[in-house]
Amino acid sequence: MITRNSGVVYIVSALALLRSAAAQDPGERLELRVVSTGVGASVVVDRGQADGVAVGDAVLFRPRAGGEYRGTVARVEERSAVVQIDDRSFTPTPGTRGEVFVPAARRRTAQPTRPQPDQPPDQQPTARERTDWKNKDEGWTQDKPLLSQVRPVDPKDRHTRFGGRFFTFAELNYTNVDSFNNSLLRTGVDAWLDNPWQRGGRMRFDGEFDYRTEGDVDGADLTVRELSYEEGGTRFTPTRWQVGRFLQADVPQLGLLDGLAYSERRENGHRYGGSVGFLPELDHDMHTGENLQFAGFYRWVDDARETLSATAAVQKTFHRGKSDRDLIVLDARRLPTDGWDLRASMSIDLYTGSNRDAVKGQGVELTQAFASAGRRFESGAGFDVAFRRLRFPAQLRDAHGPVIPGEIRNDRYDRLTFTGWSFVSEQKHRAHGQFSLFDDETTDGAALDLGLDVQGALFENGNVDVTVFGNAGRVGSHMGARVTVGRTTENGRWDALYEISNHHFDGFTADRDDLIQHRVYATRSFELDSFWHLTAHAGAHLWDKDTALAAGFYLQRSF
């Protein structure tokens, strides 16, 4: 438990850290999707050099089950990037949404081009070859802002546009332990439609069909993660409202909502609002109608560019008409406009001593917290320090997590992580490392990873990464090494991994206290054209006399 005063100190200290760096160049948040799980503790996302993404950029993942998880871009291709996950206990599945912040200056130089439907890609004119630009900025001079002659366009006056992506993901798994095997097929669409009725609004649909087998269980589910319509929230219309099923954009920590959200933007850029509706269950069916919620928030920003912001929100829920969760969310973040990326977020549960709160008792608990401070330098080197805390709230809602009172009361997860990387030669060989301190309900200890990614080794346009790792806790230790070999090709990339590690368990007999594991994993990605992306993967996990095999693919079409 924490006191109210300590919570205030936490957020005030975070705000002071956020404001300590001066804001410079406003940038852009880019949405992205996980294309596939990569080798090691990494994933492949569908944004790359063409979008302005660079090595060292911070990526924020928001899985459907809730929470925010951070990663760092380790390698960039033309239209994809490999992101190393900072929290090794979390692996986002293909299709998981995320975002990366790209400074405006870098975003302007990227300028991705796509072939037009009526002209083959090899006949497309480049930006330098085009001479038919309608706006040549003839009235612009050096003493004027770049867009001084451009009148902002009201969203109502824009043409109706649509876009999105279609994806299919399939995977087969087999293990000889009790002859367990399962398969998974996911196919879905994430699409948006701008200004459908000339009112400046936007419609969005994100849904998929899933089929899975787990042992003797077969099942098919149609999951709709978002189906919504929104208007406003611009300089022309400060009032914003959204209806349908959606993630609450102003305070995503409040979760998915089936209902209505409203916000008002003040002249100074501050924003306030609220929402009402039902919280769907976070399972495959996403059943709704049992968990009613009311929420309100206020968001403070330092200036019109909103480079620094702080948000406070409250949420009250009712489960089948009975009073349930009382939640406070505090969030502060600063956009990484000059290399610094700073953010802090905390969720506080209030317990009043009712029957529902008997497991926790009366008081205040810091249920979730995440704080990070990172710096990326012009050389490409950088570091990040992050702290994550997780507790499980006592609530009537059937949410993911422990359901046994003892687990709800005692289960915990705290982790402090320092991640750093640097380029050690003109060939851009990349040294990287991570040191962590962790504590949970079963053990506590420390973990260390050290590695070197050598460019041009073995193959032209290739790389070899050698990493050694280990951890030690109260119940045992773990040591190993990992070798990853990869190469960029004309139409994509391939990567292969081999890992060997030894798990030592304290308190066991000499013939059972060590377990050697081998892992082999490979991926092959194909950029079929500017719109189609295919990634295939296969892997094997071997330990003692047991074997686990997996193979699958991810196919995505952007439109």
Side-chain angles (χ1 to χ4, degrees):
M1 293 290 180
I2 63 169
T3 66
R4 290 176 174 82
N5 290 335
S6 62
V8 172
V9 170
Y10 182 95
I11 198 67
V12 169
S13 300
L15 277 171
L17 178 62
L18 293 173
R19 188 140 198 178
S20 61
Q24 296 178 3
D25 180 24
E28 180 180 352
R29 290 187 181 92
L30 297 180
E31 286 193 355
L32 53 82
R33 285 273 192 168
V34 174
V35 175
S36 67
T37 54
V39 293
S42 66
V43 294
V44 180
V45 299
D46 62 352
R47 293 286 192 174
Q49 286 179 330
D51 306 291
V53 177
V55 172
D57 285 350
V59 179
L60 197 65
F61 295 102
R62 292 193 175 99
R64 185 176 63 182
E68 293 183 344
Y69 295 87
R70 184 186 166 106
T72 304
V73 176
R75 187 170 59 250
V76 181
E77 307 298 335
E78 179 66 18
R79 296 189 179 276
S80 63
V82 176
V83 179
Q84 292 287 338
I85 307 301
D86 294 349
D87 188 341
R88 303 302 172 88
S89 65
F90 167 73
T91 302
T93 58
T96 300
R97 285 185 186 179
E99 67 178 33
V100 59
F101 181 88
V102 176
R106 195 198 310 157
R107 179 71 169 154
R108 285 194 296 267
T109 61
Q111 296 297 327
T113 58
R114 285 189 174 182
Q116 300 299 318
D118 57 349
Q119 195 170 7
D122 57 356
Q123 298 180 18
Q124 289 293 311
T126 66
R128 294 179 180 270
E129 295 171 343
R130 293 191 63 92
T131 60
D132 58 342
W133 299 111
K134 294 182 179 180
N135 183 4
K136 300 178 185 293
D137 293 326
E138 295 175 349
W140 178 80
T141 59
Q142 289 286 346
D143 60 340
K144 296 179 180 180
L146 180 62
L147 300 179
S148 62
Q149 305 297 316
V150 180
R151 180 179 64 86
V153 179
D154 192 315
K156 299 177 183 178
D157 299 328
R158 295 174 179 172
H159 295 295
T160 300
R161 302 181 304 131
F162 73 94
R165 67 198 78 197
F166 160 83
F167 71 90
T168 296
F169 171 77
E171 186 173 72
L172 299 174
N173 293 277
Y174 168 79
T175 176
N176 64 348
V177 179
D178 297 327
S179 299
F180 176 81
N181 62 85
N182 63 65
S183 59
L184 170 65
L185 172 65
R186 301 171 53 200
T187 182
V189 175
D190 181 3
W192 52 264
L193 177 63
D194 270 351
N195 203 16
W197 298 297
Q198 305 304 308
R199 293 173 51 91
R202 164 177 278 210
M203 297 183 65
R204 184 158 189 173
F205 172 80
D206 180 8
E208 64 182 59
F209 171 82
D210 298 344
Y211 177 78
R212 67 183 63 233
T213 65
E214 297 181 359
D216 299 327
V217 179
D218 296 344
D221 295 287
L222 178 62
T223 303
V224 177
R225 282 190 292 267
E226 182 166 351
L227 178 57
S228 67
Y229 175 78
E230 67 174 300
E231 286 187 8
T234 68
R235 69 180 74 183
F236 302 97
T237 310
T239 299
R240 176 182 179 272
W241 60 270
Q242 188 172 12
V243 63
R245 170 173 289 181
F246 52 90
L247 182 66
Q248 303 188 52
D250 293 297
V251 192
Q253 295 92 328
L254 298 179
L256 280 173
L257 179 71
D258 291 338
L260 171 68
Y262 158 87
S263 65
E264 188 77 23
R265 188 179 188 275
R266 303 175 60 187
E267 292 183 0
N268 57 7
H270 299 190
R271 186 179 294 117
Y272 63 90
S275 62
V276 60
F278 293 94
L279 301 175
E281 301 294 349
L282 299 176
D283 53 18
H284 300 293
D285 296 323
M286 299 194 75
H287 176 74
T288 189
E290 293 185 343
N291 302 286
L292 179 65
Q293 76 96 52
F294 298 92
F297 77 93
Y298 190 91
R299 185 167 185 254
W300 171 90
V301 298
D302 61 337
D303 56 29
R305 296 176 298 177
E306 301 187 6
T307 52
L308 176 63
S309 65
T311 304
V314 294
Q315 183 184 59
K316 175 62 183 176
T317 67
F318 297 86
H319 179 72
R320 297 180 180 177
K322 297 181 179 179
S323 177
D324 198 9
R325 193 177 189 187
D326 301 300
L327 176 66
I328 297 176
V329 174
L330 301 176
D331 182 277
R333 59 191 63 199
R334 179 186 178 277
L335 298 183
T337 52
D338 56 357
W340 281 101
D341 183 10
L342 308 168
R343 66 188 69 210
S345 177
M346 56 194 300
S347 297
I348 303 171
D349 275 87
L350 307 178
Y351 299 108
T352 60
S354 63
N355 292 334
R356 171 183 62 87
D357 303 331
V359 174
K360 295 285 188 175
Q362 187 172 357
V364 180
E365 182 178 39
L366 180 59
T367 310
Q368 294 190 46
F370 175 75
S372 69
R375 179 75 163 91
R376 184 182 184 275
F377 302 95
E378 293 184 0
S379 64
F383 69 88
D384 182 79
V385 181
F387 171 76
R388 178 175 296 279
R389 173 190 174 101
L390 177 63
R391 302 293 188 270
F392 296 96
Q395 56 183 328
L396 300 176
R397 182 189 180 195
D398 184 15
H400 288 294
V403 295
I404 301 175
E407 293 179 341
I408 295 175
R409 181 174 55 251
N410 299 319
D411 282 10
R412 66 183 189 275
Y413 176 79
D414 294 299
R415 192 177 190 95
L416 177 64
T417 303
F418 178 87
T419 304
W421 62 93
S422 180
F423 294 97
V424 297
S425 72
E426 295 181 356
Q427 288 75 30
K428 296 298 182 181
H429 304 326
R430 178 174 172 268
H432 55 89
Q434 183 178 93
F435 175 72
S436 300
L437 298 172
F438 57 85
D439 174 62
D440 60 34
E441 67 276 5
T442 60
T443 187
D444 58 72
L448 177 66
D449 287 28
L450 294 173
L452 179 64
D453 189 351
V454 180
Q455 301 298 312
L458 299 183
F459 307 101
E460 184 180 0
N461 298 325
N463 73 294
V464 176
D465 186 295
V466 178
T467 299
V468 295
F469 55 87
N471 64 57
R474 279 187 284 122
V475 296
S477 59
H478 175 206
M479 298 182 61
R482 179 188 310 117
V483 178
T484 303
V485 180
R487 184 186 184 189
T488 301
T489 66
E490 293 183 356
N491 64 345
R493 182 177 177 86
W494 60 262
D495 290 275
L497 169 148
Y498 171 71
E499 179 180 292
I500 182 172
S501 59
N502 179 70
H503 294 257
H504 177 77
F505 303 96
D506 295 336
F508 284 72
T509 58
D511 59 339
R512 301 183 62 187
D513 61 351
D514 289 289
L515 178 64
I516 297 179
Q517 297 188 60
H518 303 267
R519 190 161 70 98
V520 182
Y521 192 84
T523 65
R524 177 66 166 98
S525 64
F526 300 89
E527 298 288 346
L528 304 180
D529 58 25
S530 297
F531 307 102
W532 286 96
H533 180 98
L534 172 65
T535 299
H537 66 273
H541 197 170
L542 314 172
W543 64 99
D544 198 13
K545 299 179 181 180
D546 299 322
T547 303
L549 306 174
F553 70 88
Y554 182 93
L555 177 66
Q556 178 175 286
R557 168 66 158 87
S558 300
F559 56 87

